Amino acid sequence: MPLNRRNFLGRTAVTGAGVALAGAVGTVPAEAESAGRRKKRYAFTVMGTTDLHGNVFNWDYFTDAEFDDKAHNDVGLAKISTLVSQVRSEKGRRNTLLIDAGDTIQGTQLSYYYAKVDPITGANGPVHPMAQAMNAIGYDAAALGNHEFNYGIPTLRKFEEQCDFPLLGANALDAKTLRPAFRPYVIKKVCTPFGRDVRVAILGLTNPGIAIWDKANVQGKMVFPGLEEQAAKWVPKLRSLGADVVIVSAHSGSSGTSSYGDQLPYVENAAALVAEQVPGIDAILVGHAHTEIPEYRVANKKTGKQVVLSEPLKWGQRLTLFDFSVVWEHGAWQVESVGAKVLNSNTAAEDRRITRLLGDEHRKVVAYVNQVIGTSTAAMSAAEAAYKDTPVIDFINHVQVETVKAALAGTAYAKLPVLSQASCFSRTAAVPAGKVSIRQVAGLYPFENTLEARLLTGAQLREYLEFSARYYVRTAAGAPVDPAKLTNAESIPDYNYDVVSGLSYEIDIAKAPGSRIVNLSFGGKPLEDSAEFVLAVNNYRASGGGNFPHVARSKQLWANSEEIRNTIIGWVKAKGSIDVAGFASVDWKLTRDGVPVF
């Protein structure tokens, strides 16, 4: 599908005159002052969400129940809609805008269904549920997230077409022309009672990691330069076009770090760097990192001005409010103050207007995920998979090994031993004994990763395992062990701790990171450094995700375009039964001075 830049560069820069809607006409905030000797002041609010990841309902399609977590958070746009309505009622519809910072169309079985099962790109295809919900709520703009590209550019373009608001990505460029492939910005007009609207520019920036993570979908089509570089280019232009206020919606965390090391030529989490290095920005809606930052202030190095950053928690769990106060000075509106806070969606009921709108889509997906596709000879749970060798991770690796062996049959690498990596992607994942449904199998692998085969040596695999073992908190021999405090050292997420099947090893958690792998063997013999192996590995890890050593630069022997989740579902359908005894074994364990921890 050819790239469609919509000729936005030739259009007028100012859009959205319809921001002043019925419901608050004639109302003036308390902060506004009449004309005269006193200065004219006005107040308005910009609301923001991010990392919605396909959540409309407060529902977990993997458990087939209402969403819940330890903190009793709720999720979904139906809850956000209620909060948005409350804010608009309180502040006046004309005094608010609503934006998003990306990662919208991937993450739940609802979004997967309308990308793959009943795709929006099909002939007479449906309207994406996220487009329907966001249109109904009345979003003004959304930045592109990296996961927008997971299903390919045609799906993204169709979603863009279905949205009543622009998808923004100033640093998503056409690979040939190096012109923006999406609209870089939009300028909205907030109407005041003083005759001069406040012109609010929203600049969208996405994550440069897309070039690596979705290489198969974007290579040769788009490039993604750094956020700071593109912000420095566009912010002055927005000011020259008459923007009184500049807001950046950035699908990029604030930490200034990257989980990809030198694999990623630009900073992955660059929002704070943008605030620090690029003058002229008033606020940044932060995304991508899945953390909650109610308000974070960064001083711009050139001007000393404080830039306000805020990141609402993922999946519609929070709604950010940027409260602006502007004053009329020197013939223009000047930002006098900015503050930010977040609202918790668990304080709101679901908006019945949204749940009714998408009730049919929800019921279709619930029926789909509850289809029985086979049986299991025993129950498997991921509850302890982060610190014990469990059958549920063995199962993922078993399917991946079989898939790679079949793919390499008849090639020069067919005789090499195949190993496999997998992680505890969800500690709540479980497969029951007896009948097994799509949702139960899909719950083992909630990410849209695909499978690859890479060539690695024994020495490289040892370093790979050592790197993975950093995940455990160092615990002295004889000290009490609390499983709840044993994992996630250095804030390493569960999905960045890999189990490698086909090898036997111990992880001595009493030792310092880098020297924890002991008794590493293959086939009952110590692992030889020079031995060659095929590693079945997901594309996230193969592209540098987690910054694991060697794998990103290793030789690719094979790659698949099908999600691993679907590969596992297809395996169960084909076999009809999961025989746990056929693959479950304890090949690794945690120890201290040779004594097993568990």
Side-chain angles (χ1 to χ4, degrees), residues 322-341:
F322 290 106
D323 290 314
F324 287 86
S325 177
V326 294
V327 60
W328 184 262
E329 289 182 334
H330 310 298
W333 290 107
Q334 308 288 337
V335 174
E336 193 169 42
S337 66
V338 189
K341 63 182 179 180

Side-chain angles (χ1 to χ4, degrees), residues 389-424:
D389 190 345
T390 57
V392 73
I393 305 299
D394 291 340
F395 176 52
I396 296 172
N397 279 325
H398 178 68
V399 174
Q400 292 184 165
V401 167
E402 281 200 357
T403 303
V404 168
K405 282 184 176 179
L408 295 180
T411 72
Y413 303 97
K415 293 183 179 180
L416 288 179
V418 179
L419 312 177
S420 179
Q421 62 81 221
S423 305
C424 177

Side-chain angles (χ1 to χ4, degrees), residues 14-21 140 187-191 197:
V14 180
T15 62
V19 168
L21 299 180
D140 293 288
I187 299 180
K188 308 294 290 189
K189 294 195 294 185
V190 178
C191 299
D197 302 330

Side-chain angles (χ1 to χ4, degrees), residues 189-200:
K189 294 195 294 185
V190 178
C191 299
T192 77
F194 303 116
R196 169 68 158 81
D197 302 330
V198 181
R199 299 186 179 194
V200 182

